[in-house]
Amino acid sequence: MHIDRIRKTENIIKTTPEASLSSVLGVLSSSHDAAFIFDNGEFIGVINPYHSLIKTSYPPKTKVKKALMTPPKLEISEGIDRAIRLMIESKIHYLPVFENRRFIGIISARRILLNIYNDKKFSLPLSEHIKKARQLITIKESDPLSIAISLFKDYKTSKLIVIGARGTIVGVLSHYDVINYLSSPKERLSFASRKGDKSSILDKPVKNFAKKNVLTLRPENTFNEAIDLILSKQIGSVIIAGSDKRPLDILTTKDIFTRYLDRPITMPLSINMQHVSQQSMKIIKSFSQIFGNMLGNRKDVKEVEMTIREKKQGGVFETITAITQKGKKKQVIREEGKNLSKVLKDIKKRSKSLISKD
C-alpha cells in the first residue's frame, strides 16, 4: 500500500524557527510526537521530544532553529513498510511526505495502525508476544523519582510500570512526562519547595508522578484488541497483565510495527569512537542517525563499520569506514581532516556513490 492513501494534509502541528522550544513542546503529548518547522513556507525540520529532551537536553528557552532535527523523508510513491521502518529507527511517529521535493503532508503511526489492523498477524493472542518478552522493568510506587530516572537511562526504556507493595499494577510512569516536568522550573519546581529545589522533586515518591488510569489486557486477548485499545484511547502502549493484576509484559506501537514487518528492525551501522570529546560525540550521534537511515533503506547493504579517531585534542579527525554488501567484498573508505562535520559529510557522499555504483 502506498502512503498516499493515508497521507494527512490538515491539522498538522506547525511552527517557525524563531519559536521557543517550550512553546512547541507544550502542544506535544508524547516522546514520539512531532511539530513541523517551516521557514517562509519551506519545510526545514521537526521538533521531537525524544531528540530535544531525552536524547539531547536543550534549555526550555532555546529557539526551535537550534533544536530542530532533520527527520527521514518519504516520497508519495513509497509504501507503508518503509514508513514503518523509518518510524522505528527515528523514534518519530509523524514523518513528512514529499512529491518532487515539495512538502505535501505527513504520515502518522495512528493512520498506519488503522490500515494494518486487520492483518492476519494480529489475530493471534498476546501470549505470543509474552513468549518473546524482554526483561520487564518495573518500579515500586514508594521509590523516589531519582531511581526512575536511573532506570530510564540504564535500560533505555520510555515507560516504567509502577507496582504496589503486592506487585500489582498501580500506574505507569513515562520518561517524557518526567523530563518535561523537570525542564520547566518556573511552573513546576514550586511543587518541591518554595525555592524550586529540583533535588526535592527527585526525592519524592514515584506515585506522585505516575498516571493512575492504566489500561490492561489479558494474555488471551488478541493483537487486534490491543491495537483497537491503542487507537480508541489514543495511547502508545498496552500493559499485559495476569488475572492477579500483576504485569506480564508491555506491548508498544513499535512491537506492533515490528510484528507487522515480521522481522526485527536493526541499523546496519556500527561506530567505534576513540578519544572523542563530548562536543565531537554530539556531531557523530547526529550524523549516525542520518547515515544509518540512508543505509537502512538499502537492502543490499549488509554491514557498515566505522572507526572515528580524534587526534591532537581535536586538531585532526581520522576515519575508516568499511562497507560490506551482500555478495561483494568489503570496501574501505578513509577520510581525514580538521573539520569533523566536513569529514563525516564526505564519508556519507563517498559511501552513497560507492553503493550506487555497485
Side-chain angles (χ1 to χ4, degrees):
M1 179 189 298
H2 286 172
I3 59 176
D4 187 36
R5 292 181 56 184
I6 56 175
R7 174 171 53 104
K8 182 178 180 180
T9 58
E10 298 179 348
N11 299 319
I12 299 171
I13 299 175
K14 298 181 180 180
T15 189
T16 66
E18 297 301 319
S20 68
L21 183 60
S22 60
S23 68
V24 178
L25 292 175
V27 299
L28 304 179
S29 58
S30 81
S31 62
H32 301 296
D33 281 355
F36 292 77
I37 318 304
F38 290 83
D39 188 11
N40 294 321
E42 181 182 356
F43 173 76
I44 59 173
V46 301
I47 285 295
N48 165 255
Y50 172 79
H51 290 277
S52 59
L53 281 183
I54 297 173
K55 188 175 181 181
T56 304
S57 183
Y58 288 100
K61 294 182 179 180
T62 302
K63 287 190 176 182
V64 161
K65 63 183 179 183
K66 293 184 178 180
L68 63 78
M69 68 161 293
T70 303
K73 298 177 182 179
L74 290 161
E75 284 293 328
I76 191 67
S77 59
E78 293 184 295
I80 282 182
D81 282 23
R82 181 163 185 268
I84 291 174
R85 176 180 288 276
L86 293 180
M87 285 183 181
I88 293 174
E89 291 173 351
S90 66
K91 301 184 186 297
I92 304 176
H93 287 181
Y94 299 83
L95 295 177
V97 179
F98 291 80
E99 185 175 37
N100 298 325
R101 298 184 179 182
R102 181 174 61 89
F103 179 91
I104 57 171
I106 68 172
I107 184 169
S108 70
R110 293 184 61 78
R111 291 200 175 199
I112 291 178
L113 286 176
L114 280 168
N115 280 270
I116 65 174
Y117 171 82
N118 290 317
D119 191 281
K120 61 182 181 181
K121 296 185 182 75
F122 301 134
S123 61
L124 297 173
L126 293 174
S127 56
E128 291 293 316
H129 177 66
I130 298 173
K131 289 178 182 178
K132 301 178 181 179
R134 58 264 177 191
Q135 183 180 2
L136 186 64
I137 312 301
T138 61
I139 187 169
K140 295 179 181 178
E141 62 178 340
S142 58
D143 284 340
L145 189 61
S146 58
I147 290 182
I149 291 177
S150 295
L151 289 174
F152 283 132
K153 181 179 180 180
D154 294 343
Y155 290 94
K156 294 180 173 59
T157 183
S158 61
K159 288 185 177 66
L160 293 174
I161 299 175
V162 183
I163 57 175
R166 297 182 178 180
T168 57
I169 303 169
V170 296
V172 173
L173 187 68
S174 163
H175 193 181
Y176 170 64
D177 289 340
V178 171
I179 296 297
N180 194 35
Y181 191 100
L182 294 175
S183 68
S184 302
K186 289 185 178 179
E187 294 82 2
R188 295 168 178 165
L189 290 184
S190 58
F191 177 84
S193 70
R194 291 182 180 179
K195 295 182 180 179
D197 184 2
K198 186 178 289 188
S199 63
S200 297
I201 290 186
L202 298 179
D203 292 335
K204 288 190 174 295
V206 164
K207 64 181 179 182
N208 289 7
F209 307 90
K211 293 179 179 178
K212 305 298 191 298
N213 185 23
V214 182
L215 299 172
T216 63
L217 288 176
R218 298 280 297 279
E220 57 266 30
N221 289 116
T222 65
F223 284 88
N224 294 107
E225 291 174 295
I227 295 173
D228 182 59
L229 196 60
I230 286 173
L231 290 172
S232 62
K233 301 299 182 181
Q234 298 187 20
I235 53 179
S237 59
V238 172
I239 295 174
I240 306 169
S243 57
D244 57 359
K245 295 185 179 180
R246 293 174 182 267
L248 300 173
D249 199 5
I250 185 168
L251 181 75
T252 66
T253 300
K254 176 184 176 181
D255 294 326
I256 295 169
F257 280 166
T258 302
R259 188 173 188 83
Y260 176 75
L261 295 179
D262 204 25
R263 58 186 180 277
I265 303 300
T266 57
M267 280 191 182
L269 174 65
S270 62
I271 299 179
N272 175 30
M273 293 179 282
Q274 298 178 5
H275 310 297
V276 173
S277 67
Q278 289 294 322
Q279 182 61 35
S280 297
M281 193 175 294
K282 289 181 181 180
I283 296 173
I284 294 169
K285 284 184 177 181
S286 178
F287 163 79
S288 67
Q289 186 67 54
I290 298 171
F291 192 42
N293 287 335
M294 183 193 86
L295 297 170
N297 294 329
R298 296 297 302 253
K299 295 180 180 179
D300 56 330
V301 176
K302 185 178 180 180
E303 184 181 33
V304 176
E305 299 172 286
M306 287 187 68
T307 297
I308 302 175
R309 186 179 296 109
E310 186 170 330
K311 301 190 300 183
K312 299 180 181 179
Q313 296 182 332
V316 177
F317 297 92
E318 180 182 87
T319 66
I320 301 174
T321 305
I323 300 176
T324 304
Q325 292 177 267
K326 295 178 181 178
K328 300 180 185 295
K329 292 183 178 180
K330 183 180 293 186
Q331 300 179 81
V332 177
I333 297 173
R334 297 178 185 273
E335 284 285 345
E336 185 174 309
K338 296 181 179 180
N339 186 318
L340 178 59
S341 295
K342 185 178 184 303
V343 169
L344 296 177
K345 184 178 180 180
D346 290 342
I347 290 172
K348 179 174 176 287
K349 183 178 180 180
R350 288 183 62 186
S351 299
K352 186 176 182 180
S353 177
L354 186 152
I355 295 169
S356 297
K357 286 180 180 179
D358 293 336

